[in-house]
Amino acid sequence: MFVGGDSPIVVQSMLKTDPEDFQATLSQTRELKKAGCELVRIALPQEETCKIIPFLKKEVDIPIIGDVHFNHKIALRAMELGVDAVRINPGTINNVHKVQEVANAARDTKTPIRIGMNTGSIEKRILKRYKKPSADAMVESALYYTKLFEDAGWTELKVSLKASDIYQTVEAYKKFAKQSHYPLHVGITEAGPIFSGAIKSAIGIGILLYEGIGDTIRVSLTGNPVFEVIAAYHILRDMGLRKRGINIISCPTCGRCKTRNLMDIVQEFEQEITDFDDYLNVAIMGCEVNGPGEAKEADIGIAFGANKAILFKKGTVVKTGISKELAKNVLKEEIHNMIT
């Protein structure tokens, strides 16, 4: 998996199971891969937890990133066991000499490292100067530790500078990007529940991607990590950076809507097409104003009339007289025909 340069922006997420429960963790890893996740991060609270690494690598083909805080020996053990990459937070390790040990081990084992900065865990020596967490404090710390790894002879690095505040996050990434060439993992940390967290993440990540900043992304949500992957692809797709899955174009409905349950139809359709990898613009419209008129650029779509529905492709009606009850299934069948 290549990160940075001209490579596509990589989608990652984090396992939320107890790493001591091998089967539950494996199951969630497989769910994430099926959803399109390309890098999976796992929390490693103790050295003993690292024993899950060879198990996961044997059972599922996806890069595993070990997430390490406080105890640098966990990172050393994870690298010994062949983890694909390690994320460390120098602020929680809070000891330059211990981070140097990690740098030396990374060089010797050729393990990529993400230096992950968070406003909630900036190292004490930096906080003494800045008095409180800030974008500048994160940038200074990140630059210091990238130099430390360089001095150890290892430059396979990614960097992240996250806050739960959008402005602070954007400021940190923009300042760091002006001073460093390392790939950046971007996201809004602890963004919140699925609905509000996805919105906050889309704003922050979207601003950064528009500025050309970001090589990997994670949407950090309080919920099933599969939703993190789905949200990430929505962001990338709407920014025109990755085309994966079905993009639903649907009207918000109004007094002209010819079917009372359009909202239910759209929600059901969205749930039923989450495993589609092929990119298509699909319209579901409630009246003749929006479909196929305003949705004429869609690859395929349905629009509801007073009694029946129509099927259209690129603005041209291809089938009429479709029962309202069968319209969604007709649409799905036509989509299958288009992509198989």
Side-chain angles (χ1 to χ4, degrees), residues 88-100 102-103 113-117 121-126 137-152 154-155 157-159 176 182:
I88 61 165
N89 184 336
T92 57
I93 294 176
N94 205 39
N95 185 299
V96 171
H97 298 298
K98 292 178 179 179
V99 177
Q100 284 177 325
V102 174
I113 298 290
R114 169 155 71 97
I115 299 172
M117 301 292 167
S121 54
I122 296 173
E123 57 187 318
K124 294 176 183 178
R125 66 181 185 86
I126 298 289
M138 282 198 290
V139 170
E140 180 177 326
S141 187
L143 289 170
Y144 177 87
Y145 281 103
T146 54
K147 180 64 166 56
L148 182 149
F149 274 82
E150 289 170 353
D151 291 344
W154 189 240
T155 57
L157 307 174
K158 298 190 296 290
V159 176
F176 184 84
Y182 286 110

Side-chain angles (χ1 to χ4, degrees), residues 74-117:
I74 300 172
L76 304 182
R77 181 61 178 152
M79 286 187 269
E80 288 177 4
L81 291 173
V83 74
D84 295 293
V86 169
R87 181 274 177 127
I88 61 165
N89 184 336
T92 57
I93 294 176
N94 205 39
N95 185 299
V96 171
H97 298 298
K98 292 178 179 179
V99 177
Q100 284 177 325
E101 285 188 54
V102 174
N104 292 335
R107 178 198 63 218
D108 294 343
T109 58
K110 294 182 170 47
T111 305
I113 298 290
R114 169 155 71 97
I115 299 172
M117 301 292 167

Side-chain angles (χ1 to χ4, degrees), residues 19-286:
E20 296 294 328
D21 188 335
F22 280 29
Q23 291 305 317
T25 302
L26 174 60
S27 176
Q28 191 167 87
T29 304
R30 286 174 170 161
E31 289 174 3
L32 285 171
K33 182 178 180 182
K34 182 179 179 182
C37 186
E38 295 164 312
L39 296 172
V40 171
R41 182 155 52 108
I42 181 171
L44 300 173
Q46 300 95 25
E47 286 185 66
E48 182 66 18
T49 315
C50 295
K51 65 181 181 293
I52 196 173
I53 293 168
F55 169 76
L56 286 179
K57 286 177 63 63
K58 178 183 177 183
E59 296 294 329
V60 61
D61 182 23
I62 191 168
I64 304 296
I65 303 172
D67 189 75
V68 177
H69 290 268
F70 306 109
N71 183 356
H72 76 295
K73 291 184 178 180
I74 300 172
L76 304 182
R77 181 61 178 152
M79 286 187 269
E80 288 177 4
L81 291 173
V83 74
D84 295 293
V86 169
R87 181 274 177 127
I88 61 165
N89 184 336
T92 57
I93 294 176
N94 205 39
N95 185 299
V96 171
H97 298 298
K98 292 178 179 179
V99 177
Q100 284 177 325
E101 285 188 54
V102 174
N104 292 335
R107 178 198 63 218
D108 294 343
T109 58
K110 294 182 170 47
T111 305
I113 298 290
R114 169 155 71 97
I115 299 172
M117 301 292 167
N118 281 3
T119 51
S121 54
I122 296 173
E123 57 187 318
K124 294 176 183 178
R125 66 181 185 86
I126 298 289
L127 278 179
K128 284 183 180 179
R129 181 156 54 258
Y130 288 91
K131 308 304 181 186
K132 64 178 181 180
S134 67
D136 287 329
M138 282 198 290
V139 170
E140 180 177 326
S141 187
L143 289 170
Y144 177 87
Y145 281 103
T146 54
K147 180 64 166 56
L148 182 149
F149 274 82
E150 289 170 353
D151 291 344
W154 189 240
T155 57
E156 291 293 319
L157 307 174
K158 298 190 296 290
V159 176
S160 60
L161 308 98
K162 295 184 181 182
S164 59
D165 176 83
I166 292 174
Y167 293 100
Q168 208 169 40
T169 301
V170 170
E171 182 184 5
Y173 277 108
K174 289 177 74 172
K175 287 184 174 181
F176 184 84
K178 290 179 180 178
Q179 302 179 66
S180 175
H181 64 280
Y182 286 110
L184 292 170
H185 167 71
V186 302
I188 306 298
T189 194
E190 299 151 356
I194 291 169
F195 184 76
S196 59
I199 293 172
K200 182 189 287 189
S201 296
I203 295 169
I205 294 172
I207 291 170
L208 291 168
L209 294 177
Y210 183 79
E211 295 284 343
I213 297 171
D215 300 283
T216 79
I217 68 171
R218 180 200 174 190
V219 178
S220 300
L221 303 175
T222 306
N224 188 325
V226 168
F227 291 121
E228 298 186 350
V229 177
I230 293 170
Y233 276 109
H234 273 285
I235 293 169
L236 292 174
R237 190 171 63 205
D238 293 340
M239 293 292 295
L241 297 170
R242 295 282 299 268
K243 289 191 173 183
R244 180 186 186 277
I246 290 177
N247 178 42
I248 300 174
I249 302 166
S250 60
C251 67
T253 76
C254 68
R256 285 185 294 268
C257 186
K258 300 301 183 181
T259 184
R260 293 182 180 179
N261 65 334
L262 187 74
M263 297 178 191
D264 294 334
I265 291 170
V266 172
Q267 289 176 0
E268 289 171 6
F269 180 78
E270 183 178 41
Q271 292 170 1
E272 292 168 5
I273 49 86
T274 55
D275 59 343
F276 281 65
D277 291 333
D278 296 74
Y279 177 74
L280 283 177
N281 286 308
V282 177
I284 302 177
M285 297 299 183

